[in-house]
Amino acid sequence: MRQSTANLVQRWKDEGPVDLAVLVQWRSDDEWPENSWLPHAEEAFAQKQNALLEILVAELTDAQLATLNLTKLRFEGKADELPEALENAWAAASNPESRDLILEGRIRMERGLVKFEAGDLETARDDLTWAEVRLKSVAKASREHDLSLLNKAAFHLMIGEELMALQVYGDIPRNGEHAPETVAFSRLGASRILANHGDVPAAIRHSWVSFNLSRQQNMNDIMLQAGSTFLMLASDSMYDNAVPMEKQIEDAKPRSTDQPAGEPRVLPIEVSDVFKTCIESWDGDVSGQDRGDLLGLLFAGHMLGRVGEIEDIMSKPDDVEDMMLVAAVLQVIDPEKVEPWQNRLNQLAKITE
């Protein structure tokens, strides 16, 4: 299975600097094709590895450089410069003398995202669909195709088409050619949709797959999100005689619309292991207005009788920005420590009025 682009960048951090010949071997070790350094250049830029980026940029075509510029503008928040940059990138990719069919798909996808942000939903839908079809045709399971699938699913989610998003996620097989990070993202998204629609056993299975795959790939952010989703769904469904999750996943079959979802059942040791791993990977930060990851940890800690292991969540009320997390803390915190958390809840409620 093709490894994450972060793998090569981490190797550079650990073993670099190295020359291009060594980087080529590393790329081969990670099972990446030899046709482009663009994905790794984007990762190097995102991780601020400028020395590595300088080496890789020298290997990019004009069209690839123009596409890298789109990534830079997005990271830097320069949305007003994206329309002109998109035109330049399209011109470079569609030049008859050096036409790049893959980048045409990628750039059309980028245009769809810009159109969505501008509120032009129908053009965005057309662009994202065109890009996904093109990339499936010329570069199936490539990074660009993976991005087109994930962005198409995100588009459906943003406009309330959850089942359409679930269908897109279903086009990413767990044991296929897609990159592990793509599978991990898709399974996490599918888990949340299935949970919203009441199929908790399937949601638990998908979150388990996402958690383990992202853990194997050292994708800590996704691992924490997937792990906390698993904990939220599974912590009140623990049974000593439950079938192990890997066996449940192996035996899972599509369910007809008139077939009940069944009862979720998970081994306590599996919940405990995920809880332990998530605690170890959490960086201690409690800020942010959507901390479902910490809600999952708090819920699991309560169900497992291990709230004491996550006391850091309950030690900084003024730093917490998620009202739901504050409300959850109030349900489990010692009575003598309630006042500052109640005050924080009142403050956040006023902010949202």
Side-chain angles (χ1 to χ4, degrees):
M1 179 180 283
R2 188 172 78 242
Q3 301 301 300
S4 167
T5 52
N7 196 60
L8 184 142
V9 176
Q10 185 61 50
R11 200 167 176 182
W12 168 273
K13 292 178 181 178
D14 295 339
E15 304 176 31
V18 297
D19 60 21
L20 181 63
V22 176
L23 293 173
V24 169
Q25 183 57 55
W26 289 358
R27 180 175 64 180
S28 177
D29 293 343
D30 287 348
E31 299 185 27
W32 277 85
E34 300 178 1
N35 60 335
S36 175
W37 277 110
L38 177 60
H40 295 90
E42 290 177 312
E43 186 69 38
F45 168 75
Q47 296 200 34
K48 298 182 172 60
Q49 295 300 306
N50 295 331
L52 173 59
L53 181 61
E54 184 177 352
I55 295 174
L56 301 184
V57 161
E59 302 301 311
L60 301 183
T61 66
D62 289 345
Q64 290 165 354
L65 285 169
T67 306
L68 176 62
N69 185 49
L70 298 176
T71 300
K72 290 181 176 180
L73 292 175
R74 282 196 175 278
F75 264 84
E76 295 166 354
K78 298 178 180 178
D80 57 324
E81 298 181 28
L82 277 171
E84 182 179 354
L86 279 166
E87 290 184 15
N88 294 336
W90 181 263
S94 59
N95 185 328
E97 297 181 2
S98 58
R99 190 177 182 191
D100 191 321
L101 297 177
I102 296 175
L103 284 185
E104 281 185 349
R106 166 72 184 274
I107 294 162
R108 188 74 174 266
M109 179 200 75
E110 297 282 0
R111 193 183 80 158
L113 297 178
V114 170
K115 292 295 183 180
F116 172 75
E117 291 163 357
D120 187 350
L121 300 186
E122 290 311 307
T123 301
R125 186 191 298 272
D126 290 344
D127 281 348
L128 291 170
T129 300
W130 188 97
E132 194 277 320
V133 172
R134 158 65 70 84
L135 291 166
K136 182 178 182 179
S137 173
V138 301
K140 186 176 180 179
S142 67
R143 179 174 180 270
E144 286 74 18
H145 183 220
D146 286 359
L147 286 171
S148 74
L149 286 166
L150 294 176
N151 279 312
K152 189 178 180 185
F155 169 79
H156 288 307
L157 286 173
M158 291 295 290
I159 62 174
E161 297 176 348
E162 284 197 336
L163 295 182
M164 291 291 290
L166 186 62
Q167 182 177 345
V168 175
Y169 288 141
D171 290 335
I172 304 172
R174 180 167 62 93
N175 297 316
E177 301 174 283
H178 294 275
E181 63 264 36
T182 305
V183 180
F185 272 114
S186 71
R187 292 306 177 267
L188 176 57
S191 174
R192 290 169 172 169
I193 294 171
L194 288 164
N196 288 342
H197 287 264
D199 193 345
V200 177
I204 289 174
R205 292 195 301 271
H206 283 296
S207 63
W208 175 266
V209 170
S210 180
F211 170 78
N212 282 285
L213 192 55
S214 53
R215 176 170 59 177
Q216 293 165 13
Q217 297 296 320
N218 297 314
M219 299 160 55
N220 282 347
D221 288 346
I222 300 303
M223 181 183 71
L224 186 57
Q225 291 183 50
S228 62
T229 299
F230 174 83
L231 294 171
M232 283 288 289
L233 296 170
S235 294
D236 59 352
S237 300
M238 294 183 287
Y239 297 88
D240 290 332
N241 62 348
V243 175
M245 286 306 305
E246 291 300 331
K247 179 65 174 171
Q248 291 190 42
I249 291 165
E250 181 183 333
D251 293 343
K253 293 180 175 60
R255 182 173 61 88
S256 62
T257 54
D258 59 349
Q259 183 180 357
E263 180 187 9
R265 299 175 69 88
V266 181
L267 288 169
I269 186 62
E270 293 175 329
V271 175
S272 179
D273 286 348
V274 173
F275 181 71
K276 179 177 182 292
T277 302
C278 287
I279 290 175
E280 292 172 347
S281 68
W282 176 46
D283 61 6
D285 180 28
V286 296
S287 63
Q289 296 182 355
D290 183 7
R291 295 309 304 261
D293 53 347
L294 299 186
L295 274 171
L297 282 179
L298 194 63
F299 182 68
H302 177 65
M303 297 301 295
L304 293 167
R306 295 168 62 178
V307 172
E309 296 179 38
I310 48 174
E311 287 183 346
D312 285 349
I313 295 177
M314 299 177 286
S315 64
K316 306 170 185 176
D318 292 338
D319 292 346
V320 179
E321 300 169 307
D322 184 337
M323 282 184 63
M324 290 185 65
L325 180 57
V326 174
V329 170
L330 281 168
Q331 300 302 310
V332 299
I333 200 167
D334 292 338
E336 63 269 20
K337 299 180 181 178
V338 162
E339 185 175 353
W341 285 95
Q342 186 62 57
N343 291 340
R344 183 56 176 163
L345 184 63
N346 295 338
Q347 292 171 358
L348 293 174
K350 290 180 179 178
I351 292 173
T352 58
E353 288 178 354

